[in-house]
C-alpha cells in the first residue's frame, strides 16, 4: 500500500511540475526560442529595421519566401537566424494582427509607418499575451513557458473575444504567439 | 450516596458563551468595526436594538437562565466528562449569572443584526409600506414629471470640421520644421457640416387607465362601456360564447401543452447509435455522485487534444461531436440535452431500426422521448389552428417539420470496411423521420485522423461535408468562413488574400521554423489532401494552426446542419 501511495505522490509531483507535459518536438521548439531570446539581446530594433527596409526594397509583392531570403542574407554573417525568424514572422503577421482601417490611419498620421505598426501590435496584442505569460505556471524557463502558453492557447483554450473588446486577444497561431512574446520580452524596457 | 463530582459547568452557559464568541469572531471577520457604528443611521441602530432585545428575550424565555442545566461538563480523572440527567438544581452545577447570560444573548443577536440590518437594508424595510401603497404605473395614470416633458431646442451651430488630407503628415512635418514654405494642397479644408435633423415634439399619448382621484365604480363603468361600445350585448355575448366553445374543442391540446411545459418535455430528440464502447461507462460511484451532465462535459472541451494511439476511439468521437454540435466557441450551439448517444450499438442497428422503428426505439428507451417531442409539436400546431379559428392573428410560429425536431443516425466503425454514407426515411407514429447511416474505417487518433473524423461525422449529421474557405477578417478578429453569406453592403468587396505556398525546403524549415508555419494559416487540412498528408509529422501537429480552420469548418457545418435539425 505504501508503494501505491509513493507512486501516486510521484505522479502528482511530475504532472504538477510539467515534466509530464512532453510533446513531440517540444525540446526543439524551446531550444529555438532560447536561441532567439539570446540573439535578440543585441540591438533587436536595428535588425528589425534592417530586415524591414530590405524587404521593402526587394520584395514586390511582399511574399514570405522573399522575406526569408532577405533575412537569410542579413544574418549570413551575423549569426542571427533565430532572431530573424522571429522578426520575419512578426512582420508577415502584421496584416492579420492589425486591421485595415487602423493601418490606413497609421499611414495618414505617422511619418514612420513601421514604428507605428510595431507600437500598435505591442499595445493591442503583445502586452495581452505577456500578461498571460506572467500568469502561466512558473518554475520553468522563460522559453519553456512561452512555448507552453502558446501551445495551450491555440490547442486547448482557443478563446474568443467579443467584437471590439479591449485587452482581449482571440485566436493566435502558435508561431505568431511565440514570435510576439519573444519580441516583447526582448524589447521590454529595462531588460 | 452519589460520588462527589467536583465543579460542574452547565451546558447552557457553555453553549451561550461559545455562540457569543463565534458571533463576535464572525462579526470581526466580516470587517465590521467601530467605524460602522459611526456611519450607522438611527433607523438601522433602532432595528438592531429591537431585533437583539426581542430575540434575546424570546430565547431567554425558553432557556431560563436562572435554572441550572440538567447536563454539565466536569473533570473526571483529569479529563472532561459530560454528566447528563442530573437532578434539578444540583448544588455542584455552576452557571453564569442570569444577567450575564442575558447580556451574552443580546450581544450575539446584536452581532447578527449588525451584519443584517445595514443602512441600505433598513432603508428598504422602512420604505416597504410606502411602496405598497404607491399607485402602480400599470394601473393608474400618473402625472408626468417635469423633466420628462419634451423640449423643442434649437440646435447650436455645429463648428465646421476640418478635413485632413490623406498622406499629408510628412508635408505638415516639413512645413513645421521650416523646410516647406506652404502646405500647398495639404492645407486644411473645411467640410460641409452634416445637416442636423430638426427636433419635432411627439404627440402625447392619452392615458385611459384609472385616474388617481377616480372612484373605483366610475372606472369600472367606464371600462365596461368601452368594451361593449359599438356592439350589441347579444352580439357580444354570442362572440364570447363562440370563443369559449372553440377553446373547449381544443381543451385536450391546451392541457397537453401546459403539461409539456410543466413536466419539461424535451424540445428535440436526436439519437445516434455508435458501435464503439462507451468512453464514460457507468460505475457504482455514480450512485452517490450522479453522472456528469452533458452541459458540464462539453463546457470547456480543449480545441485539439493531443490524442495518442492509446486514446479510446469513443472519446475521440465524442470530442468531435461535442465540437461540431455543442462547443460554444464556434457560435450558437445545439442543446446537448436534445441529443442521446447510444454506445456499444450493434453494426446492424440501423437495419433493425428501419425494419421495425417502434420496437427498436422502445428497446433503446428512445421511443418515449421521440413521441413526447412529436406530441409537443402536434399540440403547438393545434393551438395555432385554434388561434386561426378564433380569428386572432397567430403569434406562435408554425412548428417545423417532424424530421427537424427528431432524427436517428448510426455510426458503424468497422476495420477495413470501405466508407459508405446512406440515408432513408422511417415513420414513427405517422411522422416521417430521417435515418442516416455511416460506415467508416477505424478511428485514427494521430496525424490527419481527427480531420477525417470531423469530415465523416459532418457528412453523417448534415448529409454532406461542408466546404469552408478561410477568409481574412477585416478587423483583425477571428477568421470567418468565406462561404458564409456576406452581410456587408454590396459595394464593399470581401477582402481576398493570396495563398502563399508551403515552405518545403528542409533547411529553410530548420532555420526558420516559426516563419515556415505562416502559410499553414491559409492551407486548410479539411479541404487539402496535401496538407493532410503533412500532418503525419507529430511535431507539425503539435503547433498546427487548427483553430482557424476548425472554426471555419464548424461554422460552415452548423449553417448546413441547423437548417435541417433543431428543436421546437
Amino acid at each position: 500500500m505504501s508503494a501505491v501511495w509513493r507512486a501516486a505522490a510521484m505522479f502528482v509531483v511530475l504532472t504538477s511540475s510539467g515534466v509530464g507535459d512532453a510533446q513531440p518536438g517540444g525540446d526543439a521548439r524551446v531550444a529555438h526560442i532560447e536561441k532567439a531570446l539570446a540573439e535578440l539581446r543585441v540591438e533587436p530594433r536595428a535588425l528589425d529595421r534592417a530586415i524591414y527596409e530590405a524587404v521593402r526594397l526587394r520584395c514586390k509583392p511582399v511574399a514570405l519566401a522573399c522575406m526569408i531570403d532577405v533575412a537569410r542574407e542579413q544574418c549570413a554573417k551575423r549569426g542571427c537566424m533565430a532572431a530573424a525568424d522571429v522578426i520575419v514572422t512578426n512582420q508577415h503577421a502584421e496584416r492579420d494582427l492589425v486591421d485595415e482601417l487602423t493601418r490606413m490611419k497609421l499611414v495618414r498620421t505617422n511619418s514612420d509607418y513601421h514604428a507605428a505598426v510595431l507600437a500598435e501590435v505591442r499595445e493591442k496584442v503583445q502586452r495581452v499575451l505577456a500578461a498571460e505569460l506572467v500568469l502561466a505556471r512558473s518554475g520553468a524557463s522563460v522559453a519553456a513557458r512561452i512555448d507552453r502558453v502558446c501551445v495551450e492557447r491555440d490547442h486547448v483554450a482557443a478563446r474568443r473575444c467579443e467584437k471590439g473588446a479591449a485587452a482581449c486577444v482571440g485566436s493566435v497561431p502558435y508561431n505568431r504567439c511565440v514570435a510576439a512574446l519573444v519580441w516583447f520580452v526582448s524589447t521590454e524596457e529595462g531588460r | 450516596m452519589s460520588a462527589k463530582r467536583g465543579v460542574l459547568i452547565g451546558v447552557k452557559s457553555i453553549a451561550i458563551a461559545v455562540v457569543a464568541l463565534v458571533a463576535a469572531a464572525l462579526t470581526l471577520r466580516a470587517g465590521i468595526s467601530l467605524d460602522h457604528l459611526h456611519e450607522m443611521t438611527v433607523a438601522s441602530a433602532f432595528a438592531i436594538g429591537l431585533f437583539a432585545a426581542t430575540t434575546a428575550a424570546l430565547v431567554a424565555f425558553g432557556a431560563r437562565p436562572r435554572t441550572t442545566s440538567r447536563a454539565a461538563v466536569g473533570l473526571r480523572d483529569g479529563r472532561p466528562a459530560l454528566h447528563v440527567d442530573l437532578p434539578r438544581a444540583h448544588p455542584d452545577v455552576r452557571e453564569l449569572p442570569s444577567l450575564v447570560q442575558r447580556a451574552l444573548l443580546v450581544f450575539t443577536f446584536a452581532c447578527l443584526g449588525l451584519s443584517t440590518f445595514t443602512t441600505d437594508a433598513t432603508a428598504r424595510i422602512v420604505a416597504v409600506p410606502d411602496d405598497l401603497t404607491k399607485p402602480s404605473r400599470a394601473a393608474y395614470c400618473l402625472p408626468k414629471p417635469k423633466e420628462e416633458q419634451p423640449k423643442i431646442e434649437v440646435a447650436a451651430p455645429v463648428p465646421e470640421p476640418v478635413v485632413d488630407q490623406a498622406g499629408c503628415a510628412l508635408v505638415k512635418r516639413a512645413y513645421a520644421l521650416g523646410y516647406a514654405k506652404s502646405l500647398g494642397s495639404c492645407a486644411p479644408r473645411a467640410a460641409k457640416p452634416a445637416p442636423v435633423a430638426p427636433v419635432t415634439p411627439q404627440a402625447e399619448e392619452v392615458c385611459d387607465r384609472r385616474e388617481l382621484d377616480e372612484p373605483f365604480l366610475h372606472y369600472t363603468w367606464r371600462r365596461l362601456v368601452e368594451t361593449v361600445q359599438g356592439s350589441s350585448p347579444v352580439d357580444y355575448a354570442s362572440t364570447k360564447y363562440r370563443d369559449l366553445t372553440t377553446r373547449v374543442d381544443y381543451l385536450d391540446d391546451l392541457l397537453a401543452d401546459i403539461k409539456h411545459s410543466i413536466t419539461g418535455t424535451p424540445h428535440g430528440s436526436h439519437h445516434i447509435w455508435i458501435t464503439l464502447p462507451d468512453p464514460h461507462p457507468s460505475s457504482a460511484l455514480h450512485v452517490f455522485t450522479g453522472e456528469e451532465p452533458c452541459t458540464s462535459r462539453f463546457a470547456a472541451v480543449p480545441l485539439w487534444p493531443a490524442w495518442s494511439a492509446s486514446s479510446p476511439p469513443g472519446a475521440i468521437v465524442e470530442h468531435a461531436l461535442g465540437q461540431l454540435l455543442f462547443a460554444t466557441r464556434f457560435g450558437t450551439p445545439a442543446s446537448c440535452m436534445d441529443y442521446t448517444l447510444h454506445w456499444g450499438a450493434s453494426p446492424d442497428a440501423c437495419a433493425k431500426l428501419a425494419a421495425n422503428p417502434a420496437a427498436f426505439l422502445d428497446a433503446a428507451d428512445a421511443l418515449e422521448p421521440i413521441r413526447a417531442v412529436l406530441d409537443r409539436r402536434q399540440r403547438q400546431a393545434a393551438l395555432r389552428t385554434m388561434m386561426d379559428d378564433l380569428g386572432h392573428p397567430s403569434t406562435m410560429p408554425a412548428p417545423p417539420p417532424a424530421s427537424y425536431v427528431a432524427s436517428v443516425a448510426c455510426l458503424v466503425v468497422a476495420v477495413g470496411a470501405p466508407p459508405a454514407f446512406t440515408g432513408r426515411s422511417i415513420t414513427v407514429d405517422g411522422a416521417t423521420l430521417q435515418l442516416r447511416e455511416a460506415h467508416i474505417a477505424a478511428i485514427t487518433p494521430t496525424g490527419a485522423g481527427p480531420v477525417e473524423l470531423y469530415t465523416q461525422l459532418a457528412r453523417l449529421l448534415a448529409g454532406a461535408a461542408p466546404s469552408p474557405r478561410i477568409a481574412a477578417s477585416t478587423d483583425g478578429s477571428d477568421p470567418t468562413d468565406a462561404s458564409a453569406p456576406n452581410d456587408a453592403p454590396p459595394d464593399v468587396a470581401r477582402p481576398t488574400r493570396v495563398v502563399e505556398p508551403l515552405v518545403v525546403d528542409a533547411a529553410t524549415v530548420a532555420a526558420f521554423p516559426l516563419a515556415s508555419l505562416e502559410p499553414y494559416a491559409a492551407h486548410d487540412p479539411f479541404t487539402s489532401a496535401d496538407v493532410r498528408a503533412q500532418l503525419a509529422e507529430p511535431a507539425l501537429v503539435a503547433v498546427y494552426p487548427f483553430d482557424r480552420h476548425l472554426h471555419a469548418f464548424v461554422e460552415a457545418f452548423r449553417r448546413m446542419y441547423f437548417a435541417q435539425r433543431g428543436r421546437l
Side-chain angles (χ1 to χ4, degrees):
Chain A
M1 192 64 176
S2 61
V4 172
W5 283 113
R6 279 203 298 271
M10 184 70 73
F11 173 77
V12 169
V13 168
L14 285 177
T15 51
S16 62
S17 67
V19 175
D21 291 344
Q23 282 192 347
D27 293 338
R29 296 197 306 263
V30 171
H32 184 72
I33 296 171
E34 283 173 348
K35 192 177 172 197
L37 286 169
E39 288 175 6
L40 283 171
R41 281 204 183 97
V42 182
E43 297 182 346
R45 298 185 195 276
L47 178 62
D48 172 76
R49 174 65 63 173
I51 292 176
Y52 173 73
E53 296 294 343
V55 166
R56 275 187 69 192
L57 278 174
R58 279 187 45 185
C59 301
K60 290 184 174 66
V62 175
L64 180 67
C66 181
M67 293 174 79
I68 290 176
D69 289 339
V70 165
R72 196 179 268 129
E73 286 173 14
Q74 291 286 327
C75 290
K77 293 176 183 176
R78 286 195 240 186
C80 55
M81 289 293 196
D85 185 25
V86 167
I87 290 169
V88 165
T89 305
N90 280 329
Q91 290 185 7
H92 190 264
E94 276 173 11
R95 277 208 292 166
D96 282 338
L97 295 177
V98 183
D99 60 277
E100 192 176 353
L101 285 174
T102 305
R103 279 187 274 126
M104 290 174 65
K105 189 183 83 174
L106 293 175
V107 166
R108 278 203 308 269
T109 56
N110 291 275
S111 56
D112 186 352
Y113 167 74
H114 181 60
V117 163
L118 279 181
E120 180 73 16
V121 171
R122 190 180 192 85
E123 283 303 313
K124 294 285 172 61
V125 178
Q126 293 175 357
R127 281 198 191 278
V128 177
L129 295 177
E132 294 176 20
L133 179 66
V134 169
L135 292 172
R137 274 182 296 171
S138 61
S141 66
V142 172
R145 280 162 58 192
I146 289 175
D147 179 71
R148 187 167 58 223
V149 164
C150 292
V151 167
E152 286 182 0
R153 208 175 190 284
D154 197 35
H155 278 212
V156 178
R159 65 202 62 193
R160 294 284 178 267
C161 298
E162 289 185 14
K163 225 164 195 175
C168 180
V169 173
S171 165
V172 178
Y174 166 83
N175 61 320
R176 291 178 178 177
C177 172
V178 167
L181 279 172
V182 168
W183 179 258
F184 183 87
V185 170
S186 301
T187 55
E188 184 67 0
E189 285 180 4
R191 187 173 181 276
Chain B
M1 185 190 233
S2 63
K4 189 173 173 60
R5 293 186 174 87
V7 173
L8 300 172
I9 302 176
V11 293
K12 196 188 308 179
S13 297
I14 294 173
I16 290 174
V18 167
V19 169
L21 276 172
V22 168
L26 289 174
T27 303
L28 288 173
R29 188 172 177 174
I32 296 176
S33 61
L34 286 176
D35 292 336
H36 287 80
L37 298 179
H38 289 303
E39 295 165 0
M40 197 187 302
T41 59
V42 172
S44 183
F46 177 76
I48 292 171
L50 182 64
F51 172 75
T54 311
T55 317
L58 282 172
V59 172
F61 179 78
R64 289 182 294 174
R66 290 183 184 174
T67 309
T68 54
S69 308
R70 294 194 63 189
V73 174
L75 289 176
R76 186 186 293 165
D77 298 330
R79 291 182 190 169
L82 179 66
H83 303 271
V84 296
D85 288 332
L86 294 171
R88 288 186 188 281
H90 195 285
D92 292 335
V93 175
R94 299 284 182 264
E95 295 279 6
L96 287 171
S98 167
L99 203 58
V100 172
Q101 289 185 44
R102 288 176 192 273
L104 285 175
L105 285 173
V106 171
F107 173 77
T108 302
F109 291 112
C111 288
L112 185 62
L114 266 176
S115 59
T116 308
F117 291 100
T118 58
T119 304
D120 288 337
T122 311
R124 283 174 187 266
I125 294 171
V126 168
V128 163
D130 289 336
D131 289 340
L132 287 175
T133 55
K134 194 185 296 182
S136 141
R137 186 175 287 275
Y140 287 86
C141 293
L142 299 179
K144 285 183 186 173
K146 286 184 181 175
E147 54 270 18
E148 283 186 14
Q149 292 173 4
K151 298 177 187 175
I152 304 173
E153 291 182 355
V154 176
V158 178
E160 292 181 347
V162 174
V163 174
D164 208 349
Q165 304 298 315
C168 285
L170 279 173
V171 176
K172 284 185 180 175
R173 194 167 172 205
Y175 177 76
L177 291 173
Y179 293 112
K181 293 181 183 176
S182 70
L183 291 172
S185 60
C186 286
R189 285 206 307 250
K192 293 179 186 176
V196 178
V199 177
T200 53
Q202 292 180 351
E204 279 198 23
E205 191 180 320
V206 176
C207 174
D208 60 353
R209 296 184 292 275
R210 183 180 172 189
E211 300 289 338
L212 285 173
D213 56 352
E214 185 178 7
F216 177 73
L217 285 177
H218 182 270
Y219 173 67
T220 307
W221 176 254
R222 181 160 65 84
R223 294 308 299 247
L224 187 63
V225 167
E226 284 171 6
T227 305
V228 302
Q229 197 169 15
S231 65
S232 72
V234 174
D235 289 342
Y236 179 77
S238 69
T239 304
K240 287 295 174 190
Y241 176 76
R242 190 173 63 245
D243 287 352
L244 180 64
T245 54
T246 305
R247 288 181 192 273
V248 168
D249 291 341
Y250 287 91
L251 190 62
D252 286 342
D253 297 309
L254 284 166
L255 291 174
D257 187 59
I258 293 172
K259 184 185 170 193
H260 283 311
S261 299
I262 293 173
T263 57
T265 301
H267 292 255
S269 186
H270 305 281
H271 298 260
I272 305 174
W273 278 266
I274 305 173
T275 57
L276 297 169
D278 189 351
H280 306 284
S282 299
S283 69
L285 198 60
H286 287 150
V287 173
F288 304 100
T289 61
E291 295 208 12
E292 185 184 14
C294 67
T295 44
S296 300
R297 185 173 296 167
F298 297 112
V301 288
L303 182 89
W304 202 271
W307 301 115
S308 65
S310 59
S311 301
I316 303 173
V317 170
E318 185 188 56
H319 177 266
L321 283 172
Q323 293 270 72
L324 284 172
L325 295 170
F326 312 129
T328 54
R329 59 167 61 97
F330 303 113
T332 306
S335 171
C336 66
M337 312 276 283
D338 296 342
Y339 287 78
T340 307
L341 305 180
H342 302 265
W343 299 98
S346 62
D348 61 345
C350 269
K352 291 179 187 172
L353 178 54
N356 193 342
F360 183 86
L361 292 173
D362 192 27
D365 294 331
L367 184 61
E368 191 181 329
I370 289 179
R371 274 185 171 158
V373 169
L374 293 176
D375 184 71
R376 191 170 194 168
R377 175 187 166 274
Q378 191 181 341
R379 303 298 181 181
Q380 285 189 1
L383 292 181
R384 196 178 152 83
T385 308
M386 180 190 77
M387 297 306 287
D388 291 338
D389 291 346
L390 289 172
H392 300 311
S394 179
T395 57
M396 292 163 45
S403 60
Y404 184 86
V405 297
S407 69
V408 288
C410 296
L411 176 68
V412 180
V413 180
V415 178
F421 297 87
T422 57
R424 64 192 114 171
S425 299
I426 62 171
T427 304
V428 176
D429 290 352
T432 303
L433 306 184
Q434 291 288 320
L435 165 62
R436 288 191 177 134
E437 187 173 1
H439 288 254
I440 63 176
I443 308 292
T444 308
T446 56
V451 175
E452 304 275 355
L453 179 62
Y454 273 107
T455 308
Q456 289 161 344
L457 288 176
R459 198 169 165 187
L460 168 68
L461 295 172
S467 299
R469 284 180 293 117
I470 300 291
S473 60
T474 56
D475 57 359
S477 62
D478 298 320
T480 56
D481 173 26
S483 59
N486 187 359
D487 295 332
D491 57 344
V492 175
R494 188 180 281 275
T496 55
R497 293 287 299 273
V498 175
V499 177
E500 298 193 68
L502 299 174
V503 177
V504 295
D505 176 43
T508 306
V509 172
F512 293 86
L514 297 178
S516 299
L517 289 172
E518 278 290 292
Y520 286 105
H523 287 263
D524 188 357
F526 290 96
T527 55
S528 167
D530 293 338
V531 174
R532 281 201 296 276
Q534 294 204 8
L535 292 179
E537 177 57 48
L540 176 61
V541 172
V543 295
Y544 195 90
F546 286 113
D547 187 13
R548 50 181 47 213
H549 301 298
L550 184 60
H551 190 103
F553 181 85
V554 174
E555 264 197 2
F557 161 76
R558 287 187 179 181
R559 208 174 304 111
M560 284 174 61
Y561 181 71
F562 289 152
Q564 316 167 22
R565 301 282 182 267
R567 60 196 328 240
L568 289 170

